[in-house]
Amino acid sequence: MTRIIFASIAFLFAYNWVFSQVNASYNIIEYNDLLYVNKSTAEHDSLQRLNLVLPKDKEDAPLFIWIGGGAWSYGDKNQETKIAQKLGQEGIAVAVVGHRLSPAIWRDPKLSTGVQHLAHIKDVAAAVKWLYENAAKYRYSKDKIFIGGFSSGAHLAALISLDETYLAEKGLSTDLFKGIIPISGTYDILNYYEVMKNSNQPELAELHVQAVFGKMQEDFIKASPTSYLEHLSTPMLVMSDNNMYNYTRLLEDRIRTTDFRDMSVVHAYEFGHGALWRNMSQDEHSIYRNIIVDFIKKRSATEKAK
C-alpha cells in the first residue's frame, strides 16, 4: 500500500532517536572523475564523469546512483560529495553522476551555451551502463542498484526509471533498478512550464524551461515521467520539501490513478528547497537521509532473500 509520511516534530524525534542508536561504521574509498563515456566522444574537461564512494571492506554493497540538482543547467557533481560520503559510511556504495548542462542566462548571462534534452538523460543512461558493467571491478552489487536525485536530478532519476527507451538503447532494462528515490523534483514538464509562465517571473518559461526542453508541447510531454506511469513497477520513495510540495503531490495523485502501490511519500514541511538539500547533505544527523538509508537497506535485504 502507499505510505504517506507527514513529517511532524513528534515523528522526526522518534525516528531520529532510533537511528541515533546505530552509528555509521564503514570507512570509505573514493574514486573521482571517472569517465563513463568513450574518450573519443568526450570533450576536454567533460562533465560526463562520476564520483564513486565505496564502503571499505564491504562486499556486495548496494549501489545508489545519485544525480544532483541545478535546474539541468548549473549542477556540479562535486557538491554532492558530503551526502555520498555519509551514505558510504552507512555501507552503501554511491555513484554521483555528472551530466552535460543546458544554458541558464536567467541565472548568469555567462551561462549562454549548452545542451538540450535529450542530452542529460542520455548521459545518465551512459553512466548507468558504465556502473552496471563495472560492478565487479569496484565490488558493489549489480543486483542491488537504486537510483535517485534531488531537484532536476529527481526528474532525471524518475524519467530513466519509467521511460524504458534510454536504457534499452544501452542494452539494459529498467528492471535493474530495485528502488527509485526522487527528491524535490518536478515530474510533469508541461505543468512546470505553465507554473513558470504564470509566476511572478514569467520569463522563466522561455529562458529556463524552453532552454532545457525545447519549445513544443510534445517535447514537454515526452520529457515527463508522468507520461510513463503505466511502466511503474519498481518500489519508490518520493520526498519533497515545502516549496516543491505541489509538484510531488501531482506525481502522487497521478500514481494513485494506477494500480501501483509500493510507494512511500515523505513531505518535509519544515524545510524549503535548499534547506532540505543542506540537511541531507551536510548535517551530522538527518532524519531524511536516514529514511533513504532505511529504504535502501530494507530493499537490499529483500533482494538478497530472493
Side-chain angles (χ1 to χ4, degrees), residues 33 41 59-60 68 73 91 96-97 110 126 135 190 215 279 291 293 304:
D33 292 324
T41 62
E59 296 284 349
D60 203 39
S73 303
V96 180
V97 175
K110 295 179 182 179
L190 181 57
K215 297 182 178 181
N279 172 262
I291 292 172
V293 171
K304 185 176 181 179

Side-chain angles (χ1 to χ4, degrees), residues 63-273:
L63 173 69
F64 185 32
I65 301 172
W66 176 253
I67 310 162
W72 306 273
S73 303
Y74 53 88
D76 180 350
K77 70 183 187 307
N78 296 318
Q79 294 175 342
E80 310 300 322
T81 296
K82 289 186 178 180
I83 189 171
Q85 291 171 338
K86 292 179 185 301
L87 293 173
Q89 290 164 0
E90 294 284 354
I92 298 168
V94 182
V96 180
V97 175
H99 58 77
R100 287 171 290 173
L101 301 173
S102 293
I105 60 173
W106 54 273
R107 178 180 174 88
D108 184 341
K110 295 179 182 179
L111 302 177
S112 59
T113 61
V115 300
Q116 275 193 331
H117 181 78
L118 307 162
H120 325 88
I121 195 69
K122 284 182 175 290
D123 284 355
V124 174
V128 172
K129 179 179 175 64
W130 188 94
L131 288 161
Y132 186 81
E133 293 179 342
N134 284 275
K137 178 178 179 179
Y138 291 99
R139 301 167 68 184
Y140 53 78
S141 175
K142 70 176 182 180
D143 297 317
K144 295 180 287 189
I145 297 179
F146 297 76
I147 191 164
F150 188 85
S151 195
S152 58
H155 162 266
L156 293 171
L159 184 61
I160 200 166
S161 304
L162 295 174
D163 184 350
E164 301 170 345
T165 304
Y166 308 109
L167 287 184
E169 290 176 349
K170 300 295 183 181
L172 299 174
S173 168
T174 56
D175 291 340
L176 68 86
F177 297 126
K178 304 309 174 187
I180 311 167
I181 311 176
I183 303 173
S184 293
T186 183
Y187 310 101
D188 183 317
I189 303 304
L190 181 57
N191 168 263
Y192 187 56
Y193 173 79
E194 293 295 337
V195 170
M196 294 297 106
K197 188 176 180 180
N198 294 299
S199 71
N200 59 2
Q201 293 181 284
E203 67 276 10
L204 290 179
E206 176 184 353
L207 299 181
H208 169 39
V209 184
Q210 289 185 352
V212 175
F213 295 103
K215 297 182 178 181
M216 303 297 291
Q217 179 173 315
E218 182 181 355
D219 297 330
F220 299 158
I221 294 172
K222 287 182 177 180
S224 299
T226 52
S227 297
Y228 309 97
L229 294 180
E230 71 273 13
H231 299 154
L232 182 54
S233 60
T234 304
M236 180 178 282
L237 168 63
V238 184
M239 302 173 68
S240 78
D241 59 78
N242 196 40
N243 298 128
M244 301 298 286
Y245 171 81
N246 288 337
Y247 300 116
T248 303
R249 184 60 185 269
L250 184 150
L251 175 66
E252 180 186 347
D253 288 345
R254 297 279 180 85
I255 291 176
R256 284 181 181 277
T257 66
T258 73
D259 294 329
F260 182 78
R261 292 294 179 269
D262 196 356
M263 179 176 71
S264 298
V265 182
V266 179
H267 294 298
Y269 287 137
E270 78 274 35
F271 288 127
H273 196 56

